[in-house]
Amino acid sequence: MKRRTTSHEERKLFEQVFKEGRPIKPVTPKAAAKKKATSSAPSGINGATQERLRKGLIEPDARIDLHGMTQAAAHRTLFTWLTNAHRSGHRLVLVVTGKGNPKNDENAPWMVSPHGVLKQMVPRWLNEAELAALIAHVRPAHIKHGGDGALYVYLRKTR
């Protein structure tokens, strides 16, 4: 196949239009709607299930306690454990993080090292793309399952 050559007239027209140099108006995307707080955002569970979780009426299918683990070990363990729990068909699991230092007593003997790291980091880890794809809803556990020191993680159905 032979390549077509540009005629003298086509070349002049191109150069003329090119010299005008009209800027293209950029297409600005519409402002994205702000996300609502997680408590009012739609979740992957219905209102009746949310209410039963709030009252502690659903018993978790499995639980994991991350007490005493380093941050790196807890992250690996949580990722592996949640993936396996999802594959096993579990729906509600309990992740125990501990309460950290609830009294904010700076002179307490356990304050020598950082405190409450897992309590702060586990919700962040659950929002990571790999885990978020498995999770329908996360909320603090009922007092009988650990209260502020634990989280209910409601997993999506396996396909």
Side-chain angles (χ1 to χ4, degrees):
M1 185 169 174
K2 191 174 180 183
R3 198 171 157 166
R4 181 182 172 283
T5 56
T6 310
S7 71
H8 182 66
E9 293 149 3
E10 290 175 327
R11 180 107 163 121
K12 273 192 155 189
L13 181 61
F14 173 77
E15 288 174 358
Q16 180 185 2
V17 172
F18 190 74
K19 285 179 184 176
E20 287 179 19
R22 287 178 275 165
I24 299 173
K25 290 184 181 178
V27 178
T28 54
K30 294 180 181 178
K34 291 184 179 179
K35 284 189 175 182
K36 295 181 182 178
T38 54
S39 61
S40 63
S43 68
I45 61 174
N46 63 27
T49 305
Q50 283 187 6
E51 187 63 19
R52 290 177 64 213
L53 282 176
R54 187 185 68 76
K55 292 180 178 180
L57 298 176
I58 304 175
E59 197 62 34
D61 297 326
R63 60 188 75 224
I64 186 170
D65 190 344
L66 301 175
H67 277 107
M69 292 187 188
T70 64
Q71 190 173 341
H75 186 260
R76 278 191 312 274
T77 303
L78 180 66
F79 181 83
T80 305
W81 185 80
L82 274 178
T83 304
N84 290 335
H86 184 258
R87 278 192 204 125
S88 300
H90 295 313
R91 293 303 306 275
L92 179 65
V93 295
L94 184 70
V95 178
V96 180
T97 61
K99 293 184 181 182
N101 186 13
K103 296 181 183 176
N104 291 325
D105 182 7
E106 298 299 326
N107 297 323
W110 60 83
M111 290 301 297
V112 176
S113 62
H115 62 286
V117 173
L118 295 181
K119 182 178 170 73
Q120 294 172 4
M121 293 306 295
V122 167
R124 292 181 190 177
W125 297 338
L126 295 175
N127 282 324
E128 290 177 355
E130 299 89 9
L131 291 181
L134 307 176
I135 297 171
H137 188 71
V138 177
R139 68 168 292 122
H142 186 269
I143 192 71
K144 76 178 186 180
H145 292 129
D148 290 337
L151 294 170
Y152 288 136
V153 179
Y154 203 82
L155 300 173
R156 297 184 188 279
K157 289 181 181 177
T158 54
R159 295 178 189 184

